[in-house]
Each structure stands twice: as structure tokens, then as C-alpha cells.
Amino acid sequence: YFDQKLHLTEKIFKPIVSQRPFILVAAPGNLAYLKRYGFKTFDRWIDESYDNEPDPDRRIQMITTELEKLCKLSFSDLQDMHQEMKPILEHNFNHFYGDFKSIIVKEMMFNLGKCVDQINNGNWRNPISLSQADLDRVTNLLLK
């Protein structure tokens, strides 16, 4: 929360797989980072400008303000809001169990390839023998 690190953990994926709305309490830019992976958020109902706030104290106050607004809604209003959110909740659930796996596996393997290249080009004593064919084979295994 206090770092400037873009980092998504299981804590954001739990509400996604449970088809629940969320407010992401994280370092600035993490909500935008989540969107870059193809997930949708709830900016129609929640002021998500907190994601752009660099000051952690101000950011948590902005999040608290949004939570207070939600807590003041009637049960009926909350039910209506949840019903309106269903297309986004379903999109995120389907995306998590669909395209997202392919996206992160390919990203992980690309990053692994870059690391291997850096190690092998850095005059390390023991270079890593990992070919593109090896990387492709591992990618295919992970995508099964």
C-alpha cells in the first residue's frame, strides 16, 4: 500500500471469482493495472479516483469516503446496485477463468526468457541452457 509497486495478489482475485464488487486498497495505479489485464471495475458506482492519489493518507481517506457512501445506502438500493453490476461481475469471472490465464502465462514466460537472456549475456559462470523451444513447451504445458 505504501510502495509505488504495481502488484496484484490473491486478495483482489477472491472477490472476482466470488463475483463480488471490490475496492482495491493498494498502491496508486493498481486499479488501472488490473484494468490493463482486461478486468472491469465499478467506476459507475464508486469514485475510483483514489487510484490516482499518491499520498497514502489521502488515498485511504478517499476510499473511506466511498465506503461510507455505500454504507448509507438502503438495502434495496444495494440490491439494485448489485443487480446493475452483474454484467461486470460476470465479465470478470469469465475473464479470470478464460483469457486471463493465457495472458499471465505468456507474460511470465516472456519475463523468464528475458531473465535467462540477462543471465546468459552477463558472463555468469554457469549459463542457463534454455531454448525458445523449451520456453514454448513449458508455455504449452502451463496452458493445458
Side-chain angles (χ1 to χ4, degrees):
Y1 179 82
F2 295 99
D3 297 332
Q4 297 300 312
K5 184 177 181 182
L6 296 178
H7 183 69
L8 303 173
T9 70
E10 81 287 352
K11 292 170 196 72
I12 189 56
F13 296 117
K14 285 180 180 182
I16 287 172
V17 300
S18 302
Q19 296 191 43
R20 297 286 181 244
F22 54 82
I23 292 177
L24 183 54
V25 181
N30 271 280
L31 200 57
Y33 184 51
L34 182 70
K35 289 179 183 182
R36 287 196 299 267
Y37 278 106
F39 292 98
K40 296 181 180 180
T41 61
F42 306 95
D43 54 359
R44 180 175 158 203
W45 302 276
I46 298 167
D47 178 2
E48 295 178 343
S49 63
Y50 66 85
D51 191 51
N52 301 317
E53 178 55 52
D55 179 77
D57 294 330
R58 176 76 182 118
R59 190 167 61 256
I60 199 67
Q61 183 56 52
M62 293 169 78
I63 291 168
T64 302
T65 298
E66 289 309 301
L67 290 170
E68 288 171 345
K69 286 180 193 175
L70 292 169
C71 288
K72 289 179 183 177
L73 294 175
S74 70
F75 183 72
S76 176
D77 289 341
L78 288 170
Q79 284 181 311
D80 291 344
M81 182 188 303
H82 188 262
Q83 189 65 32
E84 292 170 4
M85 291 175 170
K86 280 197 178 216
I88 292 173
L89 298 170
E90 290 170 1
H91 165 84
N92 286 344
F93 178 86
N94 292 331
H95 182 61
F96 181 84
Y97 285 108
D99 296 336
F100 182 59
K101 180 179 179 180
S102 175
I103 292 166
I104 60 171
V105 165
K106 288 176 183 175
E107 179 182 315
M108 179 184 70
M109 295 309 295
F110 176 78
N111 290 337
L112 176 61
K114 284 187 354 184
C115 289
V116 168
D117 288 344
Q118 286 178 348
I119 289 169
N120 290 343
N121 294 327
N123 298 321
W124 289 58
R125 288 185 191 174
N126 299 314
I128 297 173
S129 176
L130 190 64
S131 69
Q132 186 59 50
D134 293 331
L135 291 173
D136 291 343
R137 190 169 49 247
V138 171
T139 300
N140 289 332
L141 287 171
L142 290 171
L143 291 174
K144 284 186 178 183

